Amino acid sequence: MSYRESDMTQLISYILAKSRELPNQLFLGELVRKAGEFFRSVPLYPGIVRACLGKVIQQTEDPSHVVPGSRVIVRDGGKFIVGTILESRPEGMLLDRVVTLESLPQLWVEHPQLQAIVRENVLQEDWPSLIFEESRS
Amino acid sequence: MKGQFHLIRGEARVEIRRGVFDVIGQRLEAGGAITVPRGKAIILMEMATDCLFEVTGLAGAETTRLEQSPYPPEWELLIATIKENHCKRIIVLGEMDTGKTFLCTYLANRMMGEGFKVGVIDCDLGQSDIGPPGCLGLSLTDKPFIFMADAPVSGLHFVGTHSPEGHLTSMLVGLHQLIGRANRESDTIFIDTCGWTLGDGARLLKGAKFAVLEPDLVVLLQRNRELEHLVASFPAVPVFRLPVAKKSTPTDQMTRQKLREDISRRYFEKSRLVSLPFDRFRTQGCYFRTGLEVDRLGDIPLLYGESYPGYEGYLVVPRTPLSETDRASLSQRFSPCRFLDQGIETGLLIGLMNGAMQTLGLGVLERIDFQGRTISFHTPLIESDAVEVVAFGSLKYRPDGREAGFYAPGQI
């Protein structure tokens, strides 16, 4: 074991841990967006970025917390929605810059719809000497 | 009344009307005056029976008459230990706002009062007292000072940031340089450290400091046992433990920033604009001027460009602003590309060094003129002809001396 020379590894570990803990990728996307924003502001202090990230996602069901301009994540049945509040009224909110995420068990798509492939084996292919029996199992 | 103590917190101006006072080991007589900056404090001790002083309070000023000596009896014991054991290098460790600088000032003044040639190394990059923020500072002096910021600057080492994190190597190289000189030119050296005491980086840095500085004594200024982990691996180094004075009060972030800006402004107030042609200097801490010059990347002509070996990629200064699509396309073909849009370098803090890599002074970049092949910067350094190396830092300043943000290391 040795000491880390910067808090950068802690920052990465924190984001990875959150990727498992947060309900879905919409939450994670917002967390990563804020990480980028904080990091651009204070590139010298990954520890401060990490500390601030811990306060970014405030889980709440209390509508009094929301004001126009806030970025919110809401749930509509099985669908999660993220957006920026443009207008807030007693009965609801009008959201801007909306992204939705829906989980489905299976879905049929056409080949021309393909955009990219996630290459799962990049580390193994590019750095075979760094792949050990223990981590393969 | 002789022997009476007064604590004065800044921002305040203190004028001595009658009698003689001791201020942290320095004598002050009628007619003398001191300005106590915001966030700083002094202790006046009456040295005669009829003493009078007047305080003009500014923001946050406070005057308190103390019932007893603010100097704990252990401080006297510490001085005796230093003298008896002929301790040459003494490191003072403590968390933020525990009075490390005050203790170092007191110890330095007391040792000077006894005829010792004293060196003080200021390792606090953010709350620098010897030299401007972003530097390690060395003072070699035989004249007592009230605030460490009043001590003459005998040596600097440019690090270019307010925090050692991510700059440990530069910190240690600087300490090695400064302790070498202090060892040669002083009898006793006090090393005033930063308040970073917890976590991997702090443990690593403090341990490495012990290796580089070879201290004869480590002073732990602690409330409980919060610093013991820093000395646990060094049983051979003698440790002197001191309690933190009850009067130590935390300085808030904004006051810290203002103190830094005040020191920087004072440093740069007599600056002039200096220009150096590209062929007159080397660079350090950046990619710029370390690669092979290229005038185009693919089919895109450049105002200035450099290529670096292997995966280090390219420095790209476009002739006209590139669209995001153009940048993405270039980055894909010539990865990685470090895009430098003209003007974003303005305000960057730089270190100015001689050929032996000794820091001569600091500058603030005005412009890199890629067409005219010159770099221009503001600096109070008079011997700018001696500058052979320009080291790039990570801090940015506005023209009025206010802090303006950061540059990510490796960006230029």
Side-chain angles (χ1 to χ4, degrees), chain B residues 4-317:
Chain B
Q4 177 67 55
F5 291 92
H6 307 268
L7 173 72
I8 294 142
R9 290 190 194 284
E11 191 172 359
R13 181 165 171 80
V14 183
E15 291 178 18
I16 307 299
R17 298 292 184 212
R18 273 200 311 271
V20 183
F21 290 83
D22 171 279
V23 191
I24 321 174
Q26 183 167 330
R27 201 178 151 89
L28 207 61
E29 296 179 358
I34 317 163
T35 300
V36 186
R38 190 173 183 179
K40 299 278 181 187
I42 59 162
I43 289 162
L44 289 181
M45 181 175 76
E46 297 184 19
M47 302 285 284
T49 44
D50 185 20
C51 292
L52 183 69
F53 66 93
E54 198 175 300
V55 177
T56 313
L58 301 166
E62 189 188 315
T63 306
T64 315
R65 190 177 160 139
L66 304 174
E67 295 305 318
Q68 56 189 30
S69 167
Y71 305 117
E74 295 93 334
W75 288 23
E76 213 50 54
L77 194 60
L78 171 58
I79 290 171
T81 304
I82 292 169
K83 287 195 295 191
E84 279 166 25
N85 297 296
H86 306 289
C87 298
K88 179 152 184 166
R89 293 168 295 274
I90 300 115
I91 299 187
V92 177
L93 301 180
E95 291 186 333
M96 256 190 337
D97 299 315
T98 49
K100 295 182 293 298
T101 302
F102 187 83
L103 174 65
C104 285
T105 304
Y106 178 82
L107 294 173
N109 285 348
R110 284 290 305 272
M111 296 302 281
M112 278 185 255
E114 301 204 17
F116 286 79
K117 280 171 75 181
V118 170
V120 180
I121 296 179
D122 179 3
C123 302
D124 198 337
L125 298 173
Q127 297 301 301
S128 301
D129 283 291
I130 301 172
C135 282
L136 300 175
L138 166 69
S139 183
L140 300 166
T141 181
D142 51 8
K143 291 192 179 64
F145 44 86
I146 294 171
F147 299 108
M148 206 182 271
D150 299 334
V153 179
S154 313
L156 288 174
H157 176 81
F158 179 74
V159 178
T161 172
H162 290 155
S163 161
E165 190 189 349
H167 299 79
L168 302 188
T169 318
S170 179
M171 285 282 292
L172 294 171
V173 168
L175 275 176
H176 176 73
Q177 281 185 358
L178 297 181
I179 196 69
R181 185 161 168 214
N183 271 332
R184 290 191 298 275
E185 298 181 34
S186 50
D187 305 316
T188 311
I189 306 153
F190 295 100
I191 298 118
D192 186 10
T193 58
C194 65
W196 192 28
T197 60
L198 297 178
D200 291 29
R203 284 171 174 251
L204 192 64
L205 179 62
K206 296 300 194 268
K209 276 183 182 174
F210 289 174
V212 170
L213 298 170
E214 300 182 276
D216 301 305
L217 187 66
V218 176
V219 179
L220 299 186
L221 206 45
Q222 56 186 351
R223 293 187 171 86
N224 296 301
R225 291 180 46 80
E226 67 271 17
L227 304 177
E228 296 295 335
H229 61 284
L230 298 174
V231 292
S233 305
F234 303 92
V237 181
V239 177
F240 195 101
R241 293 169 176 84
L242 281 177
V244 175
K246 290 191 181 86
K247 297 285 173 197
S248 292
T249 49
T251 310
D252 65 80
Q253 276 185 42
M254 297 314 287
T255 303
R256 284 178 175 277
Q257 183 181 30
K258 188 179 176 305
L259 286 170
R260 281 198 305 268
E261 289 177 344
D262 286 348
I263 297 169
S264 293
R265 212 172 279 137
R266 217 161 48 224
Y267 178 80
F268 285 110
E269 71 185 346
K270 288 184 181 153
S271 288
R272 63 201 173 95
L273 192 64
V274 173
S275 283
L276 286 181
F278 281 3
D279 58 11
R280 266 282 317 282
F281 65 91
R282 307 189 300 274
T283 58
Q284 205 202 19
C286 63
Y287 284 86
F288 171 55
R289 301 289 300 152
T290 64
L292 192 66
E293 280 191 44
V294 291
D295 57 7
R296 59 176 49 243
L297 212 51
D299 51 358
I300 298 193
L302 303 177
L303 183 64
Y304 184 86
E306 288 183 29
S307 75
Y308 307 105
Y311 60 80
E312 288 189 348
Y314 297 84
L315 177 72
V316 180
V317 185

Side-chain angles (χ1 to χ4, degrees), chain A residues 3 5 7-8 13 20 25 33 48 52 62 68 73 77 91-92 94 100 114 117 130-131 135-136:
Chain A
Y3 292 134
E5 292 202 27
D7 287 335
M8 190 64 84
S13 301
R20 291 188 293 270
Q25 293 94 318
R33 180 179 66 79
I48 291 177
C52 291
D62 181 356
I73 299 171
E91 65 275 19
L94 176 63
T100 64
L114 180 67
I117 289 177
L130 299 181
I131 304 302
S135 55
R136 282 194 191 109

Side-chain angles (χ1 to χ4, degrees), chain A residues 1-126:
Chain A
M1 252 346 204
S2 61
Y3 292 134
R4 290 173 292 227
E5 292 202 27
S6 112
D7 287 335
M8 190 64 84
T9 49
Q10 258 182 317
L11 174 61
I12 293 169
S13 301
Y14 178 78
I15 292 173
L16 291 177
K18 283 291 161 189
S19 73
R20 291 188 293 270
E21 291 165 19
L22 289 170
N24 58 51
Q25 293 94 318
L26 272 190
F27 287 82
L28 186 66
E30 290 302 303
L31 195 75
V32 171
R33 180 179 66 79
K34 289 302 290 184
E37 198 179 300
F38 294 150
F39 194 68
R40 278 190 293 279
S41 296
V42 286
L44 304 186
Y45 304 114
I48 291 177
V49 174
R50 145 82 188 83
C52 291
L53 274 187
K55 297 176 182 170
V56 162
I57 305 287
Q58 183 194 352
Q59 295 202 328
T60 179
E61 291 176 4
D62 181 356
S64 69
H65 286 161
V66 299
V67 287
S70 301
R71 195 110 172 116
V72 289
I73 299 171
V74 297
R75 185 173 187 163
D76 177 15
K79 192 190 288 182
F80 281 86
I81 301 161
V82 63
T84 305
I85 302 172
L86 209 54
E87 194 184 329
S88 180
R89 290 189 216 143
E91 65 275 19
M93 312 167 257
L94 176 63
L95 299 184
D96 190 26
R97 292 191 285 138
V98 176
V99 180
T100 64
L101 179 77
E102 197 169 8
S103 294
L104 300 168
Q106 289 182 335
L107 182 68
W108 177 262
V109 293
E110 307 292 332
H111 279 137
Q113 292 175 271
L114 180 67
Q115 295 286 297
I117 289 177
V118 177
R119 287 178 61 208
E120 296 288 350
N121 297 321
V122 175
L123 183 63
Q124 291 90 325
E125 288 167 11
D126 289 7

